[in-house]
Amino acid sequence: MAANYWVSTQRLHWQFTREKLAEIRQKLEDEDKQFIQQFPLPERRLLSMYFNKEIIRLGKRLTIPTRQQAIATAQVYVRRFYTKVEIRQTNPYLVMATALYLACKMEECPQHIRFIASEARQVWTDCLYAADAAKLGECEFSLISEMNSQLIVHQPYRTLAEIKEILSMTTEEAATASFIINDHYLTDLPLLYPPHIIAVTAAFLAVVLKPNQQNHFPPTSAAAASAATAPVSHGSGAKPSAVPPTRAQQMVTWLAQTNIDMEAVIDSMQEIISLYEALEQYNDKVCKDQISRYVKNRGIAQVI
């Protein structure tokens, strides 16, 4: 296991630019254009929201001591896997169940394969009615193979704990930042930026912009984020306007001393803010129906 992110397989093999990620996905879709056109899926971000919700549904039925860590790792596995295999070539419910099973093993809270198979059948009766331990075992082999056995996932939670101490974040701010980290798995950010960038982004949003209880940010949040970080990236001396200067300035001063890539932080903030705006368009039934349609058409309700 690589304890250092900078020499890890995550950084060397699973961190992409937006352009490269789009190219990879387009190449997968081009391999079977006719089927892609026949069975359209929701926007990838909305699809990610659905996958996240379903993995959490299954996770709640399991006795996982470190549930969020395992669920986060499972979400990363699903996202990595679908950079190698087009979604419509698989049964995503089997992939999600297998990803969670594998993540539990990697996060040292293992679950019996028969138990997960049984719970998955009950959660997704219509599209996973014949999944058993053998099917999960086959799918596990496929996941490990497509990910080249590169299964270690470095999460932002540890870095957030360090930032909390450095900035003397309140319990409420730390909890909000943790929720934001949970939500970033609904986006491509785990494939785009290092975990410390995500942790800084979450802390900044929690401390400076202060979302409400529904994680909605003020309408000018993106502009406020850029303005608040302007002293760091451009040396402008402008004061952040999102909150009283003393609290925001503490965060900005600390960021200036760390040499963190502020362009990456700002891009991540904008991605998170747009995610919460996109949540308003999310329709659970549309995602479920469109996935079920192609799964049943291809007869893969019981195979990968």
Side-chain angles (χ1 to χ4, degrees), residues 42-82:
E43 177 193 347
R44 188 170 294 272
R45 179 182 288 176
L46 301 179
L47 204 57
S48 295
M49 294 176 189
Y50 180 73
F51 288 165
N52 171 70
K53 172 179 170 292
E54 294 303 304
I55 290 174
I56 290 175
R57 276 184 67 200
L58 180 58
K60 286 181 177 179
R61 300 176 69 98
L62 310 179
T63 54
I64 305 177
T66 55
R67 181 186 296 166
Q68 182 51 46
Q69 191 86 359
I71 287 175
T73 297
Q75 290 172 292
V76 173
Y77 285 169
V78 170
R79 196 168 289 276
R80 287 182 179 182
F81 181 70
Y82 284 135

Side-chain angles (χ1 to χ4, degrees), residues 13-289:
H13 302 287
W14 295 105
Q15 188 171 311
F16 309 95
T17 63
R18 289 187 185 274
E19 294 75 19
K20 182 62 177 178
L21 198 54
E23 179 185 334
I24 290 171
R25 289 166 173 168
Q26 187 60 52
K27 184 177 179 180
L28 290 175
E29 292 187 2
D30 289 344
E31 293 175 358
D32 195 352
K33 286 185 177 180
Q34 184 176 354
F35 191 77
I36 299 298
Q37 294 172 356
Q38 184 180 359
F39 296 97
L41 290 175
E43 177 193 347
R44 188 170 294 272
R45 179 182 288 176
L46 301 179
L47 204 57
S48 295
M49 294 176 189
Y50 180 73
F51 288 165
N52 171 70
K53 172 179 170 292
E54 294 303 304
I55 290 174
I56 290 175
R57 276 184 67 200
L58 180 58
K60 286 181 177 179
R61 300 176 69 98
L62 310 179
T63 54
I64 305 177
T66 55
R67 181 186 296 166
Q68 182 51 46
Q69 191 86 359
I71 287 175
T73 297
Q75 290 172 292
V76 173
Y77 285 169
V78 170
R79 196 168 289 276
R80 287 182 179 182
F81 181 70
Y82 284 135
T83 65
K84 299 287 188 175
V85 180
E86 214 289 315
I87 294 174
R88 297 167 187 82
Q89 299 292 335
T90 72
N91 182 334
Y93 298 102
L94 183 57
V95 172
M96 287 187 283
T98 306
L100 185 56
Y101 167 67
L102 183 58
C104 286
K105 290 201 292 186
M106 293 304 298
E107 297 300 338
E108 301 180 347
C109 50
Q111 303 289 303
H112 199 287
I113 191 169
R114 289 191 178 88
F115 177 57
I116 288 191
S118 174
E119 293 300 319
R121 285 197 304 270
Q122 294 184 49
V123 172
W124 303 310
T125 306
D126 293 342
C127 291
L128 206 61
Y129 54 81
D132 55 17
K135 295 297 181 185
L136 256 71
E138 292 174 10
C139 189
E140 180 187 17
F141 177 82
S142 180
L143 258 70
I144 293 174
S145 176
E146 294 295 347
M147 291 190 291
N148 300 315
S149 300
Q150 295 160 353
L151 305 178
I152 302 299
V153 177
H154 292 258
Q155 309 281 9
Y157 300 105
R158 181 180 297 180
T159 304
L160 177 62
E162 296 175 359
I163 294 174
K164 177 186 176 182
E165 297 301 320
I166 294 172
L167 298 179
S168 301
M169 295 172 66
T170 66
T171 301
E172 181 181 0
E173 289 170 343
T176 300
S178 183
F179 291 145
I180 292 172
I181 288 177
N182 295 348
D183 289 342
H184 101 282
Y185 291 104
L186 279 68
T187 73
D188 285 331
L189 290 176
L191 298 181
L192 298 175
Y193 295 117
H196 74 275
I197 292 292
I198 306 304
V200 169
T201 298
F204 190 94
L205 289 172
V207 171
V208 179
L209 298 182
K210 295 187 181 299
N212 61 27
Q213 292 183 346
Q214 288 73 39
N215 272 348
H216 290 166
F217 292 89
T220 58
S221 291
S226 298
T229 53
V232 179
S233 50
H234 304 294
S236 72
K239 294 182 179 179
S241 57
V243 296
T246 51
R247 191 73 174 105
Q249 194 61 47
Q250 178 189 9
M251 184 78 178
V252 171
T253 300
W254 175 76
L255 286 173
Q257 297 169 348
T258 59
N259 295 320
I260 287 174
D261 183 350
M262 288 310 303
E263 288 188 7
V265 172
I266 292 173
D267 186 50
S268 299
M269 283 192 285
Q270 292 173 336
E271 182 74 16
I272 293 293
I273 292 168
S274 64
L275 166 68
Y276 293 133
E277 294 172 349
L279 279 169
E280 298 176 3
Q281 306 170 22
Y282 175 70
N283 187 312
D284 185 84
K285 187 176 185 302
V286 170
C287 292
K288 180 179 179 180
D289 289 348

